[in-house]
Amino acid sequence: MKKRLIIVGSGLGGLSLALRASSNDWEVSILERNDTLGGKLNIFEQNGFRFDTGPSLITLPQVFAELFEQCGVEHEHLRFRHLVPLTQYRFANGEQITYPDTLPATAALLERIEADRGRGYWQLMATAAKLFELSSRTFFESVPTEIPSREQVQMLLHSLRWLPLRNAWGNYARTVDRHITSPQLRQIFYRYPTYVGSSPYRAPATLLVIPYLEAAFGGWYVEGGLYRIVETIVAALEQRGVRTYTSAPVTAILHRNGKVEGVRLATGDVLEGDVVVFSGDATTVNALLGMPAQPNKAERSMSGVIYLLGLRRRLPTDVHHHTIAFSSDYRREFDQIFEQRQFPDEPTVYVNVTSKTDPTTAPQGCETVFVMANAPAVEGKRWEQEMSMLWERINGVLERRGITIAESDVVVRSVWTPERFERTYAMPGGAIYGLASHSYRTAFLRPTMRHRRIKGLYFVGGSTHPGGGTPMVILSSKLAYNLILRYEVDS
Ligand SMILES: Cc1cc2nc3c(=O)[nH]c(=O)nc-3n(C[C@H](O)[C@H](O)[C@H](O)COP(=O)(O)OP(=O)(O)OC[C@H]3O[C@@H](n4cnc5c(N)ncnc54)[C@H](O)[C@@H]3O)c2cc1C
């Protein structure tokens, strides 16, 4: 008889896990509290405008290809497009830089703006390349809180030779400062820890793998929008007979004598299962288990304020697919987010215009614009009351960096605040990436993937190991599935 696997939540981690398990003879059910599948990787369509409401940038496309190939999913129709140059940065002093670009263009940029003509930059990238190799063999391939297998021990021992790596184990911003001289390139590098919702001034230097992997493997877009990834996975799940339920919030994970038994839905219905995987925020699971809440000591990652704007006019051609309008004082911005827990008075603003490279996402002559600023994740905060202040500050920065969005051109608008993220995805404070990666402990020892006291209960997705971001949650599904095989099938 097939074993029954219940996945609570349909984020990319949960969907990827469903693919792996259903390709291997499990009977899989997915229960999602919202009315669409995909979790934060989601879609909003109105009047011919199509917006990705969450991720807009794909890194490590090989992780996606590996998932599809391992699970026998037909994916040739998914067209990953490599964006070169990737991002245009606009600075407070009026300067503009595109980075990363082709190798010759990046070399010319370093020659122009770096006092040492890029020597420190290449040193930093060489360290980051080794860190990436080390992570690929260890951190991405095993769960730190589990006893490693014989192969994993061998891999770890083999990797010990990387440990003396200079520059890899300090503070992120200070390490950048030691290698990069121009204030502009420093600010570009400082932004990378925000890919996992963290501050460059508090994050460990190991996060240098992020600028490395973006420069080495590129930044990608999926034609038609990133939600095509979810559509492809869901179609494959349907073919395999996976049962997906939307508008199906799970109110309890049932367990008896230290063994999971299934889940209860808000309707009162019970679904029995041999294994349950929770793909929501792992730190909130106790509420579903009927256990006291975990003490809330660790700091949460950032949330965001997002405007999805359909414009009835094109933006000028010098606004790119990805544009960053930087604040004039980055340290102050992160102090306001993480220390004062308030929205920055001058936020850095990210503008993503998919219709610049993919006209299918907007009606003819129009533009699909995603505008985002980082915000603190404060549980229970009523953001809706601050709406006019938020747009005033965001739009003020855009105006000063030469990007004008005329109110009269906006024909579609949907706004996401941390409060809306919290409510929609049940993520405390609207924290997008679970816990902040502000120490080696929170970066490497994230909430465990296997429940310590309840056999058959596992975790997958951005709040657990190895962390947030689309490629990481796919890797998380691989690790979770290996644990399930090890503890539920092999033993
Ligand atoms: C605005 C934004 C921008 C981002 N940008 C990028 C980017 O450019 N590149 C990138 O790689 N990543 C980006 N990310 C991060 C990326 O989207 C996430 O890391 C990833 O999609 C999270 O997947 P997950 O598997 O952790 O599940 P999630 O997406 O967190 O989904 C979990 C699901 O579980 C459901 N759930 C929770 N509790 C219950 C319950 N009790 N019953 C039923 N269902 C439940 C929730 O409703 C949710 O749908 C971004 C995220 C956001 C929000």
Side-chain angles (χ1 to χ4, degrees):
M1 197 175 119
K2 282 187 173 184
K3 281 208 168 199
R4 297 158 305 172
L5 170 65
I6 299 172
I7 301 175
V8 181
S10 68
L12 183 60
L15 293 177
S16 309
L17 176 64
L19 258 189
R20 295 181 195 279
S22 59
S23 311
N24 287 288
D25 223 26
W26 286 76
E27 185 187 301
V28 184
S29 306
I30 303 176
L31 302 160
E32 168 57 51
R33 68 203 294 271
N34 291 309
D35 56 8
T36 54
L37 300 169
K40 288 168 214 143
L41 176 46
N42 228 298
I43 188 171
F44 167 63
E45 288 180 288
Q46 194 173 314
N47 299 347
F49 293 91
R50 191 166 62 245
F51 301 88
D52 284 310
T53 58
S56 51
L57 170 71
I58 293 293
T59 51
L60 295 177
Q62 60 269 39
V63 172
F64 294 78
E66 185 197 69
L67 170 75
F68 293 139
E69 269 145 41
Q70 283 177 347
C71 298
V73 176
E74 200 273 302
H75 62 100
E76 284 65 33
H77 62 282
L78 266 187
R79 302 183 75 87
F80 280 69
R81 193 190 290 186
H82 189 189
L83 300 177
V84 185
L86 183 59
T87 307
Q88 186 203 50
Y89 294 92
R90 297 183 177 207
F91 298 89
N93 67 357
E95 200 165 330
Q96 297 186 3
I97 287 177
T98 50
Y99 176 87
D101 207 322
T102 58
L103 208 50
T106 299
L109 171 76
L110 296 170
E111 185 85 21
R112 179 169 70 80
I113 66 171
E114 284 292 286
D116 63 359
R117 302 165 71 194
R119 203 165 150 264
Y121 170 91
W122 294 116
Q123 264 176 8
L124 199 60
M125 282 304 206
T127 300
K130 287 176 187 155
L131 275 173
F132 179 73
E133 195 182 328
L134 174 64
S135 309
S136 304
R137 290 157 182 255
T138 55
F139 185 62
F140 298 163
E141 286 295 329
S142 57
V143 185
T145 49
E146 294 290 333
I147 298 166
S149 65
R150 198 140 58 96
E151 296 80 55
Q152 286 165 344
V153 171
Q154 277 168 355
M155 193 67 88
L156 279 167
L157 290 174
H158 180 72
S159 305
L160 284 179
R161 67 201 165 102
W162 297 116
L163 280 182
L165 263 185
R166 270 186 74 232
N167 303 319
W169 312 110
N171 168 274
Y172 183 93
R174 282 198 292 275
T175 307
V176 168
D177 291 353
R178 278 204 305 277
H179 293 83
I180 289 179
T181 57
S182 73
Q184 285 79 16
L185 196 55
R186 279 184 179 173
Q187 197 166 11
I188 289 174
F189 266 70
Y190 293 162
R191 187 174 156 265
Y192 286 104
T194 68
Y195 284 24
V196 288
S198 304
S199 159
Y201 306 103
R202 311 254 314 268
T206 42
L207 293 196
L208 283 163
V209 294
I210 304 174
Y212 167 73
L213 63 86
E214 189 181 87
F217 305 106
W220 300 72
Y221 169 72
V222 179
E223 282 178 21
L226 271 54
Y227 197 70
R228 294 279 184 253
I229 296 169
V230 172
E231 290 169 344
T232 300
I233 296 178
V234 171
L237 294 178
E238 272 167 16
Q239 280 171 8
R240 289 161 164 76
V242 170
R243 283 173 293 181
T244 51
Y245 302 89
T246 49
S247 305
V250 166
T251 52
I253 295 176
L254 306 173
H255 54 102
R256 189 187 304 187
N257 299 331
K259 168 86 184 85
V260 84
E261 293 193 319
V263 298
R264 183 180 303 116
L265 288 109
T267 52
D269 293 333
V270 167
L271 191 64
E272 292 178 356
D274 303 300
V275 173
V276 173
V277 180
F278 184 57
S279 94
D281 190 308
T283 62
T284 66
V285 76
N286 280 12
L288 297 177
L289 292 170
M291 294 177 173
Q294 292 165 5
N296 187 7
K297 279 183 283 178
E299 195 171 19
R300 296 209 179 272
S301 61
M302 290 190 286
S303 187
V305 172
I306 286 142
Y307 290 80
L308 307 174
L309 303 174
L311 305 187
R312 65 186 169 93
R313 220 184 285 284
R314 304 298 306 262
L315 287 170
T317 47
D318 69 346
V319 178
H320 289 215
H321 185 106
H322 297 293
T323 304
I324 300 294
F326 269 127
S327 65
S328 56
D329 188 342
Y330 219 27
R331 186 179 277 277
R332 178 180 159 82
E333 186 179 341
F334 284 97
D335 279 351
Q336 290 184 329
I337 292 173
F338 282 107
E339 315 305 331
Q340 295 156 33
R341 321 287 298 148
Q342 49 178 259
F343 189 72
D345 46 23
E346 193 204 16
T348 290
V349 183
Y350 165 54
V351 183
N352 169 231
V353 191
T354 51
S355 44
K356 286 289 181 208
T357 41
D358 183 355
T360 69
T361 60
Q364 206 175 10
C366 298
E367 211 86 275
T368 296
V369 185
F370 170 110
V371 176
M372 176 173 179
N374 294 319
V378 185
E379 279 177 64
K381 181 175 159 73
R382 306 302 303 269
W383 287 86
E384 310 295 347
Q385 296 160 359
E386 303 188 7
M387 297 295 263
S388 58
M389 172 276 280
L390 297 173
W391 180 244
E392 217 170 87
R393 291 183 185 178
I394 289 173
N395 197 33
V397 173
L398 291 178
E399 290 269 347
R400 292 196 291 282
R401 304 290 174 268
I403 300 172
T404 303
I405 296 179
E407 193 53 40
S408 54
D409 287 340
V410 178
V411 290
V412 168
R413 182 195 316 264
S414 173
V415 186
W416 283 78
T417 60
E419 186 180 348
R420 184 170 172 195
F421 278 118
E422 181 168 40
R423 213 175 41 235
T424 307
Y425 300 120
M427 44 203 241
I432 291 175
Y433 299 91
L435 300 179
S437 298
H438 281 168
S439 66
Y440 281 95
R441 194 175 184 289
T442 46
F444 295 109
L445 291 176
R446 299 178 72 78
T448 162
M449 301 192 82
R450 179 170 64 92
H451 200 278
R452 287 282 166 253
R453 283 185 285 151
I454 300 174
K455 180 168 162 48
L457 176 57
Y458 295 82
F459 301 90
V460 73
S463 68
T464 180
H465 184 76
T470 51
M472 291 301 120
V473 304
I474 293 178
L475 291 174
S476 149
S477 75
K478 183 167 151 186
L479 296 171
Y481 187 58
N482 287 344
L483 282 183
I484 292 170
L485 291 182
R486 180 165 162 188
Y487 288 101
E488 308 300 328
V489 178
D490 295 348
S491 62

